[in-house]
Amino acid sequence: MIRILIAEDQSLIRAAIGQLLEAQGEFQVVAEVGRGDQVLAAALETRPDVALLDIEMPGEDGIKCAAQLRDHLPDCRILILTVFGRPGYLQRALENGALGFILKDSSPQQLARAVRQTAAGERVVDPKLAVLAIAEGASPLTVRERDVLSLSLTGVGVGDIARKLNLGEGTVRNYLSTAIQKLNARNRTEAAMVASEKGWL
């Protein structure tokens, strides 16, 4: 029996996934959470074989949850199940410990197969997304450039970004300027939108 934790913020979808998997007869859902900041505690308590994580959840996103599970519960295999087929998300998920990445428009059979493969330690990636990720290439942004662009998405000014990241305003402007150039954008708002759409933030 493969023990599964499901992290999905929409309760109807979460319940449907759990019922769909348990109907296969080889899976047992041992935990269900609706927030990213509940994932680690639930996983430490129930010790699942596979954590099935959405990306966008309140509290913490699924990619950060994957990193936490990798660091605190390395025996738990991680499969991302998301509606966001962005190459940058795929790359970041794999970098942060996920073994698999599939989309929510997968069939029930594909989902069950992906959970089995992930539990067995095999890499599982949506084929179309894998091709897109290869064509897109890796994110050109550094961690700090990603940080300042992420905060730019919220509409805060340079001074606020500097305070939140404990940086000087000139340093923040330099990071923003470099990111804008790398992304061939006209300004920081456009750069942040481009990076977000590619899944790099």
Side-chain angles (χ1 to χ4, degrees), residues 26-126:
E26 61 192 289
F27 305 115
Q28 178 188 8
V29 177
V30 295
E32 294 184 23
V33 298
R35 295 177 55 88
D37 52 11
Q38 299 170 338
V39 169
L40 182 59
L44 289 171
E45 182 181 342
T46 59
R47 303 280 164 167
D49 301 306
V50 175
L52 191 57
L53 308 177
D54 191 7
I55 286 186
E56 292 199 355
M57 296 183 284
E60 199 78 86
D61 69 59
I63 294 173
K64 289 178 182 170
C65 293
Q68 291 172 352
L69 290 173
R70 176 198 61 200
D71 295 342
H72 296 279
L73 202 63
D75 289 339
C76 177
R77 307 280 167 75
I78 301 155
L79 175 61
I80 301 290
L81 177 64
T82 181
V83 73
F84 299 106
R86 298 174 184 165
Y89 278 166
L90 168 61
Q91 292 164 346
R92 286 173 51 217
L94 297 180
E95 287 167 5
N96 283 277
L99 265 182
F101 193 109
I102 63 170
L103 302 179
K104 285 183 180 174
D105 63 359
S106 301
S107 70
Q109 294 77 18
Q110 288 171 321
L111 174 60
R113 189 181 320 118
V115 174
R116 278 187 218 105
Q117 291 174 297
T118 303
E122 298 173 23
R123 179 81 72 199
V124 184
V125 175
D126 180 87

Side-chain angles (χ1 to χ4, degrees), residues 7-16 33-34 54 56-58 104:
E8 159 66 53
D9 63 326
Q10 296 185 45
S11 57
L12 193 61
I13 294 175
R14 188 170 65 244
V33 298
D54 191 7
E56 292 199 355
M57 296 183 284
K104 285 183 180 174

